[in-house]
Amino acid sequence: MEKVDTAQTPEGADAPFEFISKSLQGRTIASDVDVDGSNVAYWTYEPVKPTQDARTILVIHGFRGDHHGLLRVADLLPDMRIIMPDLPAFGSSDPFLYDEHTVERYGHFISGFMAALGLGPKTVLLGHSFGSIVASHFAARNPGAIYPLILINPIAAPALEGPKGIMTKLAVFYYQVSARLPRRLGLALLRNRAIVRVMSITMAKTKDKNLRRFIHGQHDAYFSAFADRRSLLESFKASVSGTVADVAGELRLPVLLIAGEKDEIATLPNQHKLMERLPEATLEVIPDVGHLIHYETPAPAAAAIRTFLEEHPA
């Protein structure tokens, strides 16, 4: 099987200007577990002062991301236990052995991962971007398995439709071509630093130069940590073929939507439409930020999470 080097920088080493506090390292436990024959790397961020009432949050990251992406949010929730796996085929985790990397298969992974770690129905499930699709479909298909559900930059409308549809189709073509080219050329195209930087510049909305440098550094370091071209193409197709709206009516539990005012991928009008379709939803809109809430505005996101969980105790 074609394998890409996923060696990573030690946590915090690429986080200049104190964008991630040193205290987070003291809460960190790195582990791995076998799930359906695939080795899965995951990180646990224990609460600073463990109590019986401390909430456990299982975090599902976005497409081409890994656990590093949500570190700033975890850093601001020191009273909670945060568990963040690298999804199969990303970061330091193996791809699925035989199955296609679909939304449904990632949902089965969540079931297996929770069972392996003994995570019960009081577990909070949080998904960002593509992770919001995976998390919402899992919650809909497994009622009572988690409580409640938190979605950051949730994908509320089909990516192949609307004004951004042409760009999405071009992206599909990009991944298809990269998968068909000879290995060396295909990987060079997928890991091209100029393409990664254009993506990063397009999504970042902050005017803080130091924060922009941090964001670009994160994307440079981790955006190309994927297992192989086949699983990457499969995951990308999954990310643009499903939405949270597909299962909105089936989510019979409290759902928190944390949306960016300037998000061009998960647009604000679509967030309002999604909220109307959810039986029990809260929408928190963060101003002056786009699809990188987890990097640019972790403080209001963490505050919204804390308030929401206080209003919906285990």
Side-chain angles (χ1 to χ4, degrees), residues 6 9 20 25 71 87 98 108 131 146 180 183 196 221 231 248 269 275 292 300:
T6 58
T9 305
I20 298 175
Q25 292 185 1
L71 286 183
L87 287 179
Y98 307 109
H108 291 321
I146 55 95
R180 293 170 182 168
R183 183 179 185 275
V196 172
S231 60
M275 185 178 68
L292 302 181

PDB file of all heavy atoms in Angstrom, residues 6 9 20 25 71 87 98 108 131 146 180 183 196 221 231 248 269 275 292 300:
ATOM      1  N   THR A   6       4.197  10.538   7.642  1.00  0.00           N
ATOM      2  CA  THR A   6       3.370  11.404   8.480  1.00  0.00           C
ATOM      3  C   THR A   6       4.107  11.846   9.739  1.00  0.00           C
ATOM      4  O   THR A   6       3.495  12.164  10.756  1.00  0.00           O
ATOM      5  CB  THR A   6       2.071  10.680   8.886  1.00  0.00           C
ATOM      6  OG1 THR A   6       2.406   9.481   9.577  1.00  0.00           O
ATOM      7  CG2 THR A   6       1.235  10.338   7.668  1.00  0.00           C
ATOM      8  N   THR A   9       5.843  17.408  13.763  1.00  0.00           N
ATOM      9  CA  THR A   9       6.570  18.247  14.696  1.00  0.00           C
ATOM     10  C   THR A   9       6.025  18.027  16.097  1.00  0.00           C
ATOM     11  O   THR A   9       4.828  17.877  16.282  1.00  0.00           O
ATOM     12  CB  THR A   9       6.377  19.729  14.314  1.00  0.00           C
ATOM     13  OG1 THR A   9       6.764  19.892  12.959  1.00  0.00           O
ATOM     14  CG2 THR A   9       7.185  20.635  15.207  1.00  0.00           C
ATOM     15  N   ILE A  20      -0.639  28.599  21.622  1.00  0.00           N
ATOM     16  CA  ILE A  20      -1.014  27.421  22.391  1.00  0.00           C
ATOM     17  C   ILE A  20      -0.195  27.443  23.672  1.00  0.00           C
ATOM     18  O   ILE A  20       1.024  27.531  23.628  1.00  0.00           O
ATOM     19  CB  ILE A  20      -0.756  26.125  21.601  1.00  0.00           C
ATOM     20  CG1 ILE A  20      -1.600  26.101  20.328  1.00  0.00           C
ATOM     21  CG2 ILE A  20      -1.062  24.910  22.460  1.00  0.00           C
ATOM     22  CD1 ILE A  20      -1.325  24.917  19.434  1.00  0.00           C
ATOM     23  N   GLN A  25       0.516  21.050  27.311  1.00  0.00           N
ATOM     24  CA  GLN A  25       1.397  19.889  27.244  1.00  0.00           C
ATOM     25  C   GLN A  25       1.316  19.056  28.512  1.00  0.00           C
ATOM     26  O   GLN A  25       1.405  17.827  28.473  1.00  0.00           O
ATOM     27  CB  GLN A  25       2.839  20.339  26.994  1.00  0.00           C
ATOM     28  CG  GLN A  25       3.068  20.939  25.622  1.00  0.00           C
ATOM     29  CD  GLN A  25       4.535  21.257  25.365  1.00  0.00           C
ATOM     30  OE1 GLN A  25       5.387  21.016  26.219  1.00  0.00           O
ATOM     31  NE2 GLN A  25       4.830  21.801  24.204  1.00  0.00           N
ATOM     32  N   LEU A  71      -6.439  22.192  18.840  1.00  0.00           N
ATOM     33  CA  LEU A  71      -5.691  22.357  20.084  1.00  0.00           C
ATOM     34  C   LEU A  71      -6.003  23.669  20.796  1.00  0.00           C
ATOM     35  O   LEU A  71      -6.046  23.723  22.023  1.00  0.00           O
ATOM     36  CB  LEU A  71      -4.188  22.274  19.811  1.00  0.00           C
ATOM     37  CG  LEU A  71      -3.618  20.888  19.525  1.00  0.00           C
ATOM     38  CD1 LEU A  71      -2.119  20.956  19.361  1.00  0.00           C
ATOM     39  CD2 LEU A  71      -3.989  19.905  20.630  1.00  0.00           C
ATOM     40  N   LEU A  87      -8.233  10.969  12.525  1.00  0.00           N
ATOM     41  CA  LEU A  87      -9.130  10.069  11.813  1.00  0.00           C
ATOM     42  C   LEU A  87      -8.335   9.091  10.948  1.00  0.00           C
ATOM     43  O   LEU A  87      -7.260   9.428  10.444  1.00  0.00           O
ATOM     44  CB  LEU A  87     -10.082  10.869  10.924  1.00  0.00           C
ATOM     45  CG  LEU A  87     -11.200  11.640  11.617  1.00  0.00           C
ATOM     46  CD1 LEU A  87     -12.024  12.400  10.579  1.00  0.00           C
ATOM     47  CD2 LEU A  87     -12.099  10.715  12.429  1.00  0.00           C
ATOM     48  N   TYR A  98      -9.786  -2.335   4.467  1.00  0.00           N
ATOM     49  CA  TYR A  98     -10.430  -2.809   3.252  1.00  0.00           C
ATOM     50  C   TYR A  98     -11.540  -1.882   2.755  1.00  0.00           C
ATOM     51  O   TYR A  98     -11.885  -1.912   1.579  1.00  0.00           O
ATOM     52  CB  TYR A  98     -11.024  -4.212   3.477  1.00  0.00           C
ATOM     53  CG  TYR A  98     -10.024  -5.196   4.033  1.00  0.00           C
ATOM     54  CD1 TYR A  98     -10.110  -5.642   5.346  1.00  0.00           C
ATOM     55  CD2 TYR A  98      -8.978  -5.666   3.241  1.00  0.00           C
ATOM     56  CE1 TYR A  98      -9.192  -6.549   5.858  1.00  0.00           C
ATOM     57  CE2 TYR A  98      -8.044  -6.564   3.741  1.00  0.00           C
ATOM     58  CZ  TYR A  98      -8.164  -7.002   5.055  1.00  0.00           C
ATOM     59  OH  TYR A  98      -7.239  -7.881   5.552  1.00  0.00           O
ATOM     60  N   HIS A 108     -18.918   4.292  11.583  1.00  0.00           N
ATOM     61  CA  HIS A 108     -18.613   2.997  12.202  1.00  0.00           C
ATOM     62  C   HIS A 108     -17.315   3.091  13.009  1.00  0.00           C
ATOM     63  O   HIS A 108     -17.179   2.455  14.063  1.00  0.00           O
ATOM     64  CB  HIS A 108     -18.482   1.915  11.128  1.00  0.00           C
ATOM     65  CG  HIS A 108     -19.769   1.557  10.453  1.00  0.00           C
ATOM     66  ND1 HIS A 108     -20.963   1.458  11.127  1.00  0.00           N
ATOM     67  CD2 HIS A 108     -20.046   1.274   9.150  1.00  0.00           C
ATOM     68  CE1 HIS A 108     -21.922   1.124  10.291  1.00  0.00           C
ATOM     69  NE2 HIS A 108     -21.395   1.016   9.084  1.00  0.00           N
ATOM     70  N   GLY A 131     -15.763  16.982   9.782  1.00  0.00           N
ATOM     71  CA  GLY A 131     -16.087  16.274  11.017  1.00  0.00           C
ATOM     72  C   GLY A 131     -17.510  16.511  11.472  1.00  0.00           C
ATOM     73  O   GLY A 131     -18.103  15.672  12.145  1.00  0.00           O
ATOM     74  N   ILE A 146     -24.392   9.390  22.276  1.00  0.00           N
ATOM     75  CA  ILE A 146     -23.641  10.548  22.783  1.00  0.00           C
ATOM     76  C   ILE A 146     -24.640  11.615  23.239  1.00  0.00           C
ATOM     77  O   ILE A 146     -25.828  11.554  22.915  1.00  0.00           O
ATOM     78  CB  ILE A 146     -22.698  11.149  21.697  1.00  0.00           C
ATOM     79  CG1 ILE A 146     -23.487  11.508  20.421  1.00  0.00           C
ATOM     80  CG2 ILE A 146     -21.608  10.156  21.367  1.00  0.00           C
ATOM     81  CD1 ILE A 146     -23.939  12.922  20.305  1.00  0.00           C
ATOM     82  N   ARG A 180      -4.365   9.725 -10.124  1.00  0.00           N
ATOM     83  CA  ARG A 180      -4.074   8.950 -11.336  1.00  0.00           C
ATOM     84  C   ARG A 180      -2.655   9.139 -11.853  1.00  0.00           C
ATOM     85  O   ARG A 180      -2.145   8.301 -12.592  1.00  0.00           O
ATOM     86  CB  ARG A 180      -5.069   9.343 -12.434  1.00  0.00           C
ATOM     87  CG  ARG A 180      -6.512   8.916 -12.130  1.00  0.00           C
ATOM     88  CD  ARG A 180      -7.482   9.522 -13.115  1.00  0.00           C
ATOM     89  NE  ARG A 180      -8.864   9.154 -12.809  1.00  0.00           N
ATOM     90  CZ  ARG A 180      -9.928   9.719 -13.352  1.00  0.00           C
ATOM     91  NH1 ARG A 180      -9.760  10.680 -14.257  1.00  0.00           N
ATOM     92  NH2 ARG A 180     -11.140   9.335 -13.013  1.00  0.00           N
ATOM     93  N   ARG A 183       3.034   8.065  -8.899  1.00  0.00           N
ATOM     94  CA  ARG A 183       3.034   8.361  -7.464  1.00  0.00           C
ATOM     95  C   ARG A 183       3.790   9.638  -7.114  1.00  0.00           C
ATOM     96  O   ARG A 183       3.273  10.506  -6.393  1.00  0.00           O
ATOM     97  CB  ARG A 183       3.626   7.184  -6.692  1.00  0.00           C
ATOM     98  CG  ARG A 183       3.608   7.384  -5.179  1.00  0.00           C
ATOM     99  CD  ARG A 183       4.179   6.164  -4.470  1.00  0.00           C
ATOM    100  NE  ARG A 183       4.041   6.305  -3.033  1.00  0.00           N
ATOM    101  CZ  ARG A 183       4.907   6.950  -2.251  1.00  0.00           C
ATOM    102  NH1 ARG A 183       5.975   7.533  -2.801  1.00  0.00           N
ATOM    103  NH2 ARG A 183       4.706   7.032  -0.953  1.00  0.00           N
ATOM    104  N   VAL A 196      -1.128  24.722  -1.013  1.00  0.00           N
ATOM    105  CA  VAL A 196      -1.529  24.725   0.400  1.00  0.00           C
ATOM    106  C   VAL A 196      -1.590  26.156   0.930  1.00  0.00           C
ATOM    107  O   VAL A 196      -2.526  26.537   1.644  1.00  0.00           O
ATOM    108  CB  VAL A 196      -0.555  23.881   1.244  1.00  0.00           C
ATOM    109  CG1 VAL A 196      -0.851  24.043   2.735  1.00  0.00           C
ATOM    110  CG2 VAL A 196      -0.659  22.410   0.849  1.00  0.00           C
ATOM    111  N   ALA A 221       2.563  22.360   8.098  1.00  0.00           N
ATOM    112  CA  ALA A 221       3.068  21.223   8.861  1.00  0.00           C
ATOM    113  C   ALA A 221       2.168  19.996   8.788  1.00  0.00           C
ATOM    114  O   ALA A 221       2.663  18.859   8.776  1.00  0.00           O
ATOM    115  CB  ALA A 221       3.268  21.628  10.324  1.00  0.00           C
ATOM    116  N   SER A 231      -7.082   6.876  -0.322  1.00  0.00           N
ATOM    117  CA  SER A 231      -7.932   7.213   0.818  1.00  0.00           C
ATOM    118  C   SER A 231      -8.229   8.706   0.867  1.00  0.00           C
ATOM    119  O   SER A 231      -9.312   9.126   1.284  1.00  0.00           O
ATOM    120  CB  SER A 231      -7.288   6.761   2.126  1.00  0.00           C
ATOM    121  OG  SER A 231      -6.030   7.380   2.331  1.00  0.00           O
ATOM    122  N   ALA A 248     -30.675  16.268   9.586  1.00  0.00           N
ATOM    123  CA  ALA A 248     -31.088  17.244  10.602  1.00  0.00           C
ATOM    124  C   ALA A 248     -32.356  16.815  11.342  1.00  0.00           C
ATOM    125  O   ALA A 248     -32.423  16.902  12.582  1.00  0.00           O
ATOM    126  CB  ALA A 248     -31.291  18.609   9.953  1.00  0.00           C
ATOM    127  N   PRO A 269     -26.134  32.140   5.862  1.00  0.00           N
ATOM    128  CA  PRO A 269     -27.540  31.883   5.513  1.00  0.00           C
ATOM    129  C   PRO A 269     -27.901  30.399   5.604  1.00  0.00           C
ATOM    130  O   PRO A 269     -29.002  30.049   6.051  1.00  0.00           O
ATOM    131  CB  PRO A 269     -27.652  32.406   4.074  1.00  0.00           C
ATOM    132  CG  PRO A 269     -26.618  33.467   3.981  1.00  0.00           C
ATOM    133  CD  PRO A 269     -25.470  32.955   4.806  1.00  0.00           C
ATOM    134  N   MET A 275     -30.473  25.434  11.208  1.00  0.00           N
ATOM    135  CA  MET A 275     -31.032  25.542  12.556  1.00  0.00           C
ATOM    136  C   MET A 275     -32.539  25.330  12.546  1.00  0.00           C
ATOM    137  O   MET A 275     -33.104  24.708  13.445  1.00  0.00           O
ATOM    138  CB  MET A 275     -30.684  26.900  13.169  1.00  0.00           C
ATOM    139  CG  MET A 275     -31.137  27.012  14.633  1.00  0.00           C
ATOM    140  SD  MET A 275     -30.687  28.573  15.411  1.00  0.00           S
ATOM    141  CE  MET A 275     -31.742  29.692  14.509  1.00  0.00           C
ATOM    142  N   LEU A 292     -12.191  29.089   9.842  1.00  0.00           N
ATOM    143  CA  LEU A 292     -11.101  28.710  10.751  1.00  0.00           C
ATOM    144  C   LEU A 292     -11.368  29.183  12.181  1.00  0.00           C
ATOM    145  O   LEU A 292     -10.494  29.719  12.857  1.00  0.00           O
ATOM    146  CB  LEU A 292      -9.772  29.280  10.246  1.00  0.00           C
ATOM    147  CG  LEU A 292      -9.353  28.867   8.838  1.00  0.00           C
ATOM    148  CD1 LEU A 292      -8.000  29.485   8.486  1.00  0.00           C
ATOM    149  CD2 LEU A 292      -9.300  27.346   8.695  1.00  0.00           C
ATOM    150  N   PRO A 300     -14.189  32.617  21.971  1.00  0.00           N
ATOM    151  CA  PRO A 300     -15.659  32.613  21.945  1.00  0.00           C
ATOM    152  C   PRO A 300     -16.234  31.241  21.642  1.00  0.00           C
ATOM    153  O   PRO A 300     -17.333  30.907  22.115  1.00  0.00           O
ATOM    154  CB  PRO A 300     -16.003  33.627  20.854  1.00  0.00           C
ATOM    155  CG  PRO A 300     -14.771  33.814  20.060  1.00  0.00           C
ATOM    156  CD  PRO A 300     -13.634  33.561  20.990  1.00  0.00           C
TER     157      PRO A 300
END
